[in-house]
Amino acid sequence: MEQNSVCIIKSDKYNYPKADELFRPSICYAEYPYKQDIAQEENHVYQMVRDGLHMCGFDTAHYGTSDWNPLGEFIKPGERVLIKPNLVLHENLGGYGEECLYTHPSVTAAVVDYVIIALKGKGKIVIGDAPLQECVFDILLDTSGYSKLVEYYKTKEIDIEIVDFRNTKTYIQDGIHYQQTDECADHGTIVQMNEISLFAEKTKKELQKLRITNYDPRILQQHHNSHKHEYNISNEVLLADVIINMPKPKTHRKAGITGALKNLVGINANKEYLPHHTLGSSKEGGDAYQNSSFWLKVANYLLDQSNIYTREGKIETAKKYVNAYKKVYQKGNRSSNEKYWEGSWYGNNTIWRTIVDLNRIMLYADKFGIMTDKVQRKSFIIGDMVISGEKEGPLEPSPKKAGILVFGMNPICVDKVVASLMGFNYSDIPSISNREIYKGRCAFTEYRYVDIVSNENMWNQRELEDIRQKASLKFEPTMGWEDKLGSPKKQVICETIKSKGCRVAIFGAGKKGIAITDYLQKRGVKVETFCDNDVSKQGKIVWNKIYCIAPEKLDASYLCIITTPEKYNDAVIEQLKKVGIEEYCLI
């Protein structure tokens, strides 16, 4: 497989096998090492992995025989192999289920089998990630089936373990992020990037404004300042001879999408080393939000103070600051008509630099964490999009049944394909398209053309732009990226309203309601009112001088756009029917 090649395997089945049969294949393939363990339930995911490795052109001479060893081209006996899935969180905060949240263990299981074949009884396999700081790792492993999977391999005397890369973990109570573990624990090595870092071009003043939400800003500034730029990289990453990068491609509030590139943010052991956004509005050189606002500046200050006092163990003082922050933020949000916060929008000019820095570390840092000019380890990418995630990813994604696995060698090429499949122009996503990626030491090699092979004719040997315009899956981006990436569903709603000429009400006076209102107003559609069951919002201005009313004050003349969480949809629809509204749209 060439570096600029990407393979897309498509299935018409949009589900995963259950953990009961340990994600074993339902067909006894010639090369399969555990022929006594065959699943009764159909495992089409295993077949997709197998078909993808074959379509990549690996060991074609032995395909169909017991000697087929597709990963043997870059995994040798005795090597240490790291499988890096996306294990971001143990639960979907949007309530839409976990199948669209993290890399499914059925995909990982098939990959592990082929790694075992390549190692030929010698070597070590590590499955690992650094999830969100609030992730309860044991719950994730137990509910997903990862724990059972690893135990299965251990009964086969395979040297395998699953590792949580994080040094620190937290839990949330009363708006405060409490540290859960001993901070002295250190499973990583400090990697100094300094002038190689994409933050090296930033001024001292700009570096002082770098932030990661819910962390003491003083700690981030210790690692990114005018003298140095460094990350704390898991030792499992540095010790690996081969890394199989297994992202869960989906939409992402700060980065636009999370794919092969973004998945490597999980190789960092301490979140305090990861700049996510820059304080201030875009007009002031920041990217936390768009419009300049005195009150939002104050809100940022209060949030910083809360994080500082939390770090110092002064919890009661921290609570006072976080409560003040919430009130001031709401005031700033309303007074400036601001839609974005904490860099969760297309104007984020920070996170892509962190993403690219970490990808360069994965390739060029040696086992001791020293940056070199030579690639230090082999890597391969398998992206799980059987059920992908759209809308408010990465933590609240809605399931998108794509039926896809994506294979490739180069993360930029893979992410260009992923973005195009989603229906997004990859040139609008900085981590994929910014020209700085190809400059300086440890730069990526630029490929002008991506060679796409697929078992699906509408994608096979097609251009990226052709796929985006004519054969995409029409993902809905996060609210903060709609103005850049477009929203197929909202476009249809907008056109429907214009054709009908009806009055418009928005059910739900929260962020989603504000986002659709702003979208419609920019396209010449008048929104007359918000409505919400929350009495504290009724009678108040929600957005751009538009008031919120009680639902019972609506009448049949309205087309209502429902923006409440999906679990409330049926109840909201019944409410609307009681006031005579038959026309509604779900967002």
Side-chain angles (χ1 to χ4, degrees):
M1 188 179 203
E2 300 297 327
Q3 285 288 323
N4 66 326
S5 295
V6 175
C7 172
I8 309 168
I9 293 297
K10 179 73 170 73
S11 171
D12 59 0
K13 297 180 176 68
Y14 308 103
N15 63 292
Y16 296 101
K18 298 180 179 65
D20 299 351
E21 297 184 287
L22 301 168
F23 313 113
R24 297 300 84 205
S26 50
I27 298 173
C28 188
Y29 303 111
E31 73 280 2
Y32 179 55
Y34 309 118
K35 291 183 169 53
Q36 70 279 17
D37 299 330
I38 302 297
Q40 296 301 307
E41 177 192 12
E42 181 187 11
N43 188 345
H44 66 281
V45 171
Y46 201 107
Q47 178 74 56
M48 291 173 71
V49 173
R50 187 174 188 266
D51 289 347
L53 295 175
H54 179 223
M55 187 163 275
C56 287
F58 296 142
D59 193 23
T60 55
H62 295 107
Y63 179 70
T65 74
S66 60
D67 293 329
W68 190 49
N69 180 10
L71 298 184
E73 296 200 11
F74 49 88
I75 297 176
K76 305 304 178 187
E79 290 188 322
R80 191 179 184 98
V81 179
L82 170 64
I83 296 174
K84 168 60 181 72
N86 182 338
L87 304 178
V88 60
L89 192 59
H90 62 282
E91 62 179 342
N92 186 326
L93 297 181
Y96 303 114
E98 285 68 57
E99 288 188 330
C100 63
L101 183 66
Y102 49 68
T103 306
H104 198 272
S106 63
V107 186
T108 306
V111 173
V112 171
D113 280 1
Y114 286 105
V115 172
I116 290 170
I117 291 170
L119 289 175
K120 297 181 178 180
K122 299 177 182 179
K124 183 176 180 65
I125 303 170
V126 175
I127 303 170
D129 191 18
L132 189 74
Q133 54 268 36
E134 282 86 34
C135 176
V136 184
F137 202 61
D138 288 343
I139 292 178
L140 188 156
L141 298 186
D142 289 343
T143 57
S144 65
Y146 271 102
S147 289
K148 290 182 179 179
L149 180 64
V150 172
E151 287 305 313
Y152 167 77
Y153 287 120
K154 287 182 176 179
T155 66
K156 304 295 184 182
E157 298 184 347
I158 301 299
D159 189 357
I160 186 171
E161 61 180 320
I162 190 160
V163 179
D164 182 350
F165 294 162
R166 296 173 298 175
N167 286 331
T168 57
K169 307 163 192 174
T170 61
Y171 68 94
I172 305 174
Q173 185 175 321
D174 300 325
I176 302 297
H177 292 253
Y178 292 85
Q179 187 171 299
Q180 212 171 358
T181 56
D182 183 3
E183 201 171 1
C184 294
D186 194 356
H187 308 293
T189 295
I190 304 299
V191 176
Q192 299 276 352
M193 289 199 78
N194 299 334
E195 75 283 354
I196 304 173
S197 170
L198 288 172
F199 290 102
E201 65 182 35
K202 295 289 186 179
T203 66
K204 181 178 180 180
K205 185 177 180 181
E206 290 171 329
L207 292 170
Q208 290 173 343
K209 293 182 178 181
L210 294 177
R211 292 293 186 274
I212 176 169
T213 305
N214 303 323
Y215 282 95
D216 183 344
R218 299 173 301 180
I219 301 174
L220 180 59
Q221 289 164 23
Q222 291 173 13
H223 307 298
H224 293 275
N225 52 58
S226 55
H227 303 293
K228 64 182 177 182
H229 295 283
E230 61 187 16
Y231 297 88
N232 191 344
I233 303 302
S234 168
N235 292 327
E236 296 294 349
V237 174
L238 298 176
L239 292 172
D241 300 296
V242 181
I243 294 179
I244 300 181
N245 181 357
M246 297 189 65
K248 182 74 168 183
K250 56 183 179 285
T251 54
H252 194 283
R253 287 177 174 172
K254 287 180 168 61
I257 69 167
T258 173
L261 289 160
K262 175 66 175 63
N263 194 38
L264 291 195
V265 169
I267 69 174
N268 189 87
N270 277 73
K271 299 294 184 185
E272 300 97 320
Y273 288 70
L274 302 174
H276 272 55
H277 64 274
T278 303
L279 286 185
S281 69
S282 55
K283 296 177 182 178
E284 301 161 328
D287 59 20
Y289 46 90
Q290 189 172 34
N291 303 318
S292 298
S293 167
F294 168 77
W295 292 111
L296 290 179
K297 283 184 179 179
V298 175
N300 269 321
Y301 168 78
L302 294 170
L303 184 59
D304 277 349
Q305 293 304 305
S306 173
N307 290 330
I308 288 170
Y309 282 114
T310 299
R311 169 78 177 182
E312 294 177 349
K314 300 174 181 178
I315 302 303
E316 292 306 314
T317 303
K319 287 181 180 179
K320 292 178 182 178
Y321 273 100
V322 81
N323 290 333
Y325 153 72
K326 291 176 182 177
K327 294 177 182 178
V328 173
Y329 167 69
Q330 291 295 334
K331 183 172 185 176
N333 182 263
R334 292 194 185 98
S335 64
S336 63
N337 281 338
E338 182 57 60
K339 294 191 300 177
Y340 311 124
W341 189 239
E342 295 176 343
S344 295
W345 67 302
Y346 66 88
N348 189 313
N349 193 35
T350 305
I351 191 66
W352 71 270
R353 300 171 190 273
T354 301
I355 292 169
V356 176
D357 275 2
L358 290 165
N359 275 265
R360 289 179 172 180
I361 287 173
M362 186 276 286
L363 288 173
Y364 291 98
D366 67 16
K367 294 182 185 296
F368 305 101
I370 307 300
M371 293 298 291
T372 71
D373 293 318
K374 182 181 178 181
V375 173
Q376 297 295 302
R377 54 193 57 83
K378 297 162 283 187
S379 62
F380 183 58
I381 300 155
I382 303 176
D384 169 19
M385 296 179 70
V386 177
I387 299 177
S388 188
E390 64 177 352
K391 300 180 182 177
E392 299 311 306
L395 305 181
E396 303 175 36
S398 299
K400 182 73 170 182
K401 294 181 178 180
I404 290 172
L405 294 181
V406 183
F407 302 74
M409 305 293 289
N410 181 282
I412 296 175
C413 292
V414 168
D415 282 359
K416 283 182 178 181
V417 171
V418 166
S420 301
L421 287 169
M422 290 179 173
F424 305 151
N425 189 335
Y426 71 81
S427 64
D428 290 329
I429 300 171
S431 61
I432 308 174
S433 62
N434 194 289
R435 298 301 306 165
E436 295 301 314
I437 296 171
Y438 305 110
K439 297 178 182 178
R441 279 185 64 196
C442 305
F444 280 101
T445 300
E446 183 173 13
Y447 298 98
R448 298 287 184 180
Y449 174 75
V450 180
D451 181 26
I452 299 172
V453 295
S454 178
N455 63 342
E456 176 59 62
N457 287 334
M458 65 179 175
W459 299 326
N460 189 44
Q461 297 298 310
R462 298 302 175 97
E463 300 281 348
L464 291 168
E465 186 62 11
D466 197 36
I467 291 174
R468 183 180 76 85
Q469 292 191 3
K470 300 176 183 178
S472 81
L473 301 177
K474 296 183 178 179
F475 276 54
E476 289 291 326
T478 67
M479 290 183 289
W481 282 78
E482 287 172 347
D483 286 346
K484 177 66 70 172
L485 300 179
S487 172
K489 188 170 185 178
K490 289 182 180 179
Q491 183 178 348
V492 171
I493 291 173
C494 186
E495 292 170 355
T496 300
I497 293 170
K498 287 182 177 180
S499 66
K500 290 179 177 293
C502 48
R503 303 169 73 190
V504 178
I506 308 296
F507 200 117
K511 290 182 179 180
K512 288 177 69 176
I514 290 171
I516 183 63
T517 301
D518 183 68
Y519 181 92
L520 293 173
Q521 287 184 331
K522 286 180 177 177
R523 288 153 182 83
V525 174
K526 181 181 179 182
V527 174
E528 291 197 14
T529 187
F530 289 91
C531 65
D532 202 292
N533 286 317
D534 185 345
V535 294
S536 68
K537 295 179 179 179
Q538 296 169 9
K540 297 179 181 177
I541 292 176
V542 176
W543 174 260
N544 206 15
K545 301 181 180 179
I546 303 174
Y547 281 84
C548 178
I549 63 174
E552 55 266 25
K553 292 185 178 181
L554 296 173
D555 59 52
S557 65
Y558 283 99
L559 183 151
C560 195
I561 300 174
I562 301 171
T563 68
T564 51
E566 188 176 359
K567 60 184 177 182
Y568 300 125
N569 283 350
D570 290 343
V572 169
I573 290 169
E574 285 302 313
Q575 274 189 282
L576 296 178
K577 287 180 178 179
K578 287 180 180 179
V579 296
I581 294 178
E582 296 293 336
E583 289 194 279
Y584 57 85
C585 300
L586 298 171
I587 293 293

